[in-house]
Amino acid sequence: MLLNSPKHVIGLATLRLSEKFILLLILSAFITLCFGAFFFLPDNSKHKRFDLGLEDVLIPHIDSPKEGKHASGQDAGPKPLPPVPMPKVVGVSDGEPPEPDVKEKRDKIRESAELTASNDLFCCLFFFQMMKHAWDSYRQYGWGHNELKPLAKKGHSTNIFGNSQLGATIVDALDTLYIMGLHEEFKDGQEWIEQNLDFGVNAEVSVFEVNIRFIGGLLAAYYLSGQEVFKLKAVQLAEKLLPAFNTPTGIPWAMVNLKSGVGRNWGWASAGSSILAEFGTLHMEFVHLTYLTGNPAYYQKVMHIRKLLAKMDRPNGLYPNYLNPRTGRWGQHHTSVGGLGDSFYEYLLKAWLMSDKTDTEARKTYDDAIEAIERHLIRKSNGGLTFIGEWKNGHLERKMGHLACFAGGMFALGADGSPDDKAGHYLQLGAEIAHTCHESYDRTVLKLGPEAFKFDSGLEAVAVRQNEKYYILRPEVIETYWYMWRFTHDPKYRQWGWEAAQAIDKYCRVSGGFSGVKDVYSSNPTYDDVQQSFFLAETLKYLYLLFSSDDLMPFESWVFNTEAHPLPVLHLGNITLPGSEPAQR
């Protein structure tokens, strides 16, 4: 064999070319790996800056070892929480009325549907009976589902809870059951939560709704009953919500997947914006979470939101309803005290109250916001009705939503401590809003309020569009009646509340629970076939409290979240929350 034959020379050359090609492939793969690692692996730094005129704002990122394993898929299980001083529980006596005769009469309702007395006790028993009917129907037909379809007599859910069965009605109703003394029903709810409530599901939920209904409801149940399971479940859920804050600005996404931690915003919300009433309605619950766990992350998240908003320009002093979590810029300039904005203002005031009036920054922010709202949104109609309109791109829309009717109670609650000795002014403003919202009920056939009502073209406190004529068991008007009653004891507020309760029982009660109606101006309304969880959490609770003694859940000791879940005032004294600065009075 000739080594220098042409055939052999060609073979050696071919081998060398193959080796070069393989080496080139290996080198290319190595370079690609390095490039990917540099650009795509997570940054280990705990903070990242963004520069939009907010130079001092540091964006905290989730540190998994400290804040829970959010996306690992392997939760380590519930960890024992550090012991903290239990706030003094005032105004509840294990859910039992203190007077023996009241308890005896109350207990009779369990066996009898007949009520004959016409007094405050009668009214409380009436609401007690309504609660029993709503709960028993859910227990029979929708147990474990989020809500109930009372006509179809089966479970119901909406996209705010994802595709999961989280028992929203159970969690939402717990504190109402406890306050009314429905101990067997409360125990049933507790057992379901202990055995079935699992937040490790692959479900995309609303951060706002899950916070106010679940975390708020679980914390309230814990403070009322002292049962540790409620605190543990609240913390487990809160850890699942923290990834929603992983945005370039720290403003949380509207939705988060409980399993993966992936967040996003509603598609309809002004070019992917987050909503003021959603990211601005976390403070009460998150402060209590830090207090109970010692984990500063919750407190820091909500305080970061406050600091960011404080640095932003506000058109006419008003807060627009939309803020882009990627850019930190406002979306559409739409301001309302109803839907999309409402509870942001409520939580500013209640942050101050819940801090034992030490959070003066929150109070100042609230006062400034209300001053701008008075200047630009609050008007008096030709017929003398005070209403709160909506600001849209420099124009005032003379329409008020049912959701905005909560503001009458908010103005009354914030009257004490208002600047320039304006306490009387804000109590009067609350009374005027209560009157307007009562008119929206009184001017319908069913004596139930529409979803929204206009003050234009000769129409006042009346819905115009068909899609605004429905009533879905909402609580806001009755909520304002309760606050106004507590501060004035004017009997008209109890009378108005009783009228609303009778209308609900007459037109919304069906054999399988309570349903919303589609047209409050029709004498033969059709049902929407949904018993909302907030009907048990808010509407029935506010009615019961409206006719109860002021000693039940006194304002000096309790602050109600926007889902009517009572959280105790934190009389922290010299104690400082982890991650916070010492409070300044």
Side-chain angles (χ1 to χ4, degrees):
M1 180 177 181
L2 298 174
L3 295 177
N4 58 351
S5 67
K7 184 177 180 181
H8 183 70
V9 172
I10 292 173
L12 290 175
T14 303
L15 181 63
R16 286 194 292 272
L17 286 173
S18 299
E19 290 173 342
K20 290 178 180 179
F21 182 69
I22 292 171
L23 288 172
L24 184 61
L25 283 177
I26 294 172
L27 182 62
S28 299
F30 179 74
I31 293 172
T32 301
L33 181 64
C34 294
F35 179 86
F38 181 79
F39 283 97
F40 296 111
L41 285 180
D43 185 1
N44 288 328
S45 65
K46 293 184 178 179
H47 300 89
K48 185 180 289 185
R49 285 189 181 273
F50 73 106
D51 185 9
L52 292 169
L54 304 170
E55 296 83 5
D56 300 328
V57 179
L58 290 174
I59 307 305
H61 282 238
I62 303 301
D63 188 334
S64 295
K66 292 183 180 179
E67 297 182 13
K69 298 179 180 179
H70 303 296
S72 66
Q74 294 293 328
D75 292 331
K79 295 175 289 187
L81 297 174
V84 295
M86 186 74 164
K88 185 179 180 181
V89 176
V90 177
V92 290
S93 179
D94 194 28
E96 293 291 346
E99 302 85 358
D101 61 324
V102 176
K103 181 181 184 301
E104 180 182 352
K105 293 178 181 178
R106 196 279 319 273
D107 289 343
K108 287 181 180 179
I109 198 66
R110 296 180 187 273
E111 292 81 31
S112 174
E114 297 298 325
L115 297 170
T116 57
S118 180
N119 52 34
D120 298 346
L121 175 60
F122 164 78
C123 295
C124 284
L125 294 178
F126 188 82
F127 309 140
F128 178 93
Q129 186 190 58
M130 291 174 72
M131 183 67 181
K132 278 281 292 177
H133 180 60
W135 175 265
D136 290 347
S137 297
Y138 170 78
R139 182 73 175 84
Q140 182 174 358
Y141 303 119
W143 192 241
H145 290 267
N146 290 313
E147 293 174 321
L148 171 68
K149 295 178 75 68
L151 276 79
K153 295 183 177 179
K154 63 180 183 180
H156 170 74
S157 191
T158 64
N159 62 343
I160 61 175
F161 305 118
N163 56 1
S164 59
Q165 295 184 24
L166 296 173
T169 294
I170 298 173
V171 179
D172 235 359
L174 280 173
D175 51 12
T176 306
L177 294 170
Y178 192 91
I179 290 168
M180 290 186 177
L182 286 161
H183 295 305
E184 290 301 317
E185 291 80 357
F186 182 88
K187 183 179 178 182
D188 286 344
Q190 179 177 339
E191 289 178 354
W192 187 90
I193 287 170
E194 288 175 335
Q195 298 169 11
N196 299 284
L197 188 55
D198 176 18
F199 299 120
V201 293
N202 183 19
E204 188 180 52
V205 301
S206 163
V207 174
F208 162 74
E209 295 287 358
V210 165
N211 175 64
I212 65 171
R213 301 190 198 209
F214 282 82
I215 294 181
L218 290 166
L219 290 176
Y222 166 68
Y223 283 121
L224 289 169
S225 71
Q227 297 296 315
E228 287 286 318
V229 62
F230 299 126
K231 178 172 68 173
L232 291 172
K233 290 291 185 180
V235 174
Q236 288 173 15
L237 174 56
E239 290 181 346
K240 296 288 186 180
L241 299 186
L242 284 177
F245 292 81
N246 282 345
T247 66
T249 61
I251 297 293
W253 300 115
M255 310 285 288
V256 69
N257 186 292
L258 293 178
K259 191 177 185 70
S260 69
V262 174
R264 70 177 179 91
N265 275 344
W266 303 105
W268 50 264
S270 187
S273 290
S274 297
I275 296 168
L276 182 69
E278 295 193 341
F279 66 77
T281 309
L282 302 165
H283 190 98
M284 291 180 64
E285 298 81 5
F286 275 44
V287 166
H288 271 277
L289 287 166
T290 285
Y291 174 75
L292 291 173
T293 65
N295 183 352
Y298 305 109
Y299 178 82
Q300 290 170 345
K301 300 299 183 195
V302 292
M303 290 305 295
H304 170 77
I305 293 172
R306 183 189 293 181
K307 289 183 173 68
L308 186 149
L309 291 177
K311 292 178 178 290
M312 296 186 66
D313 291 331
R314 295 180 294 279
N316 297 313
L318 298 170
Y319 289 86
N321 290 336
Y322 301 106
L323 179 62
N324 192 301
R326 291 187 176 90
T327 66
R329 295 188 175 92
W330 297 118
Q332 177 189 2
H333 283 190
H334 172 208
T335 298
S336 70
V337 183
L340 307 179
D342 47 9
S343 48
F344 165 73
Y345 307 101
E346 175 187 0
Y347 269 40
L348 290 174
L349 173 63
K350 290 181 176 179
W352 175 68
L353 292 169
M354 198 180 74
S355 72
D356 196 20
K357 301 182 180 180
T358 61
D359 188 353
T360 53
E361 180 182 66
R363 177 74 214 209
K364 177 66 164 57
T365 306
Y366 168 80
D367 289 332
D368 291 345
I370 297 306
E371 182 183 349
I373 287 168
E374 272 207 272
R375 188 183 310 118
H376 296 287
L377 303 187
I378 297 180
R379 296 290 185 270
K380 196 177 287 285
S381 70
N382 293 333
L385 295 178
T386 301
F387 67 95
I388 310 174
E390 298 187 9
W391 192 262
K392 291 187 176 180
N393 296 317
H395 171 72
L396 181 68
E397 185 176 12
R398 298 171 65 86
K399 180 176 77 172
M400 184 172 177
H402 193 292
L403 289 166
C405 284
F406 92 98
M410 179 180 71
F411 293 142
L413 185 63
D416 184 29
S418 56
D420 304 324
D421 297 323
K422 296 179 72 174
H425 166 73
Y426 284 112
L427 193 61
Q428 177 61 29
L429 181 58
E432 292 177 11
I433 296 298
H435 172 67
T436 296
C437 292
H438 173 257
E439 286 298 307
S440 76
Y441 274 54
D442 201 47
R443 298 181 185 192
T444 71
V445 172
L446 303 187
K447 304 303 178 184
L448 294 170
E451 182 69 3
F453 40 96
K454 300 274 285 188
F455 296 86
D456 210 358
S457 303
L459 295 174
E460 297 197 357
V462 175
V464 176
R465 298 178 180 176
Q466 189 61 40
N467 64 358
E468 295 174 341
K469 295 181 178 181
Y470 59 88
Y471 173 72
I472 57 172
L473 308 173
R474 287 203 186 276
E476 290 79 20
V477 174
I478 297 166
E479 174 185 358
T480 278
Y481 294 164
W482 175 54
Y483 279 107
M484 292 307 304
W485 163 258
R486 280 280 178 104
F487 287 110
T488 69
H489 280 196
D490 188 328
K492 71 183 180 185
Y493 296 115
R494 281 186 165 178
Q495 179 61 36
W496 292 351
W498 179 240
E499 291 170 0
Q502 286 182 301
I504 292 170
D505 196 64
K506 181 177 181 179
Y507 295 109
C508 299
R509 184 182 183 123
V510 296
S511 62
F514 289 87
S515 170
V517 293
K518 294 183 178 180
D519 188 347
V520 294
Y521 299 95
S522 169
S523 58
N524 295 299
T526 55
Y527 297 107
D528 66 10
D529 197 19
V530 178
Q531 180 176 282
Q532 306 278 350
S533 78
F534 58 67
F535 178 65
L536 291 82
E538 300 184 74
T539 310
L540 292 177
K541 184 188 287 126
Y542 285 134
L543 282 169
Y544 187 82
L545 291 172
L546 175 60
F547 286 85
S548 299
S549 166
D550 291 0
D551 294 332
L552 180 61
M553 315 303 297
F555 291 156
E556 295 78 13
S557 302
W558 298 93
V559 183
F560 286 68
N561 87 339
T562 197
E563 190 78 3
H565 295 308
L567 299 176
V569 171
L570 293 175
H571 302 281
L572 296 175
N574 295 324
I575 302 173
T576 301
L577 285 173
S580 71
E581 298 295 328
Q584 299 292 326
R585 282 190 180 268

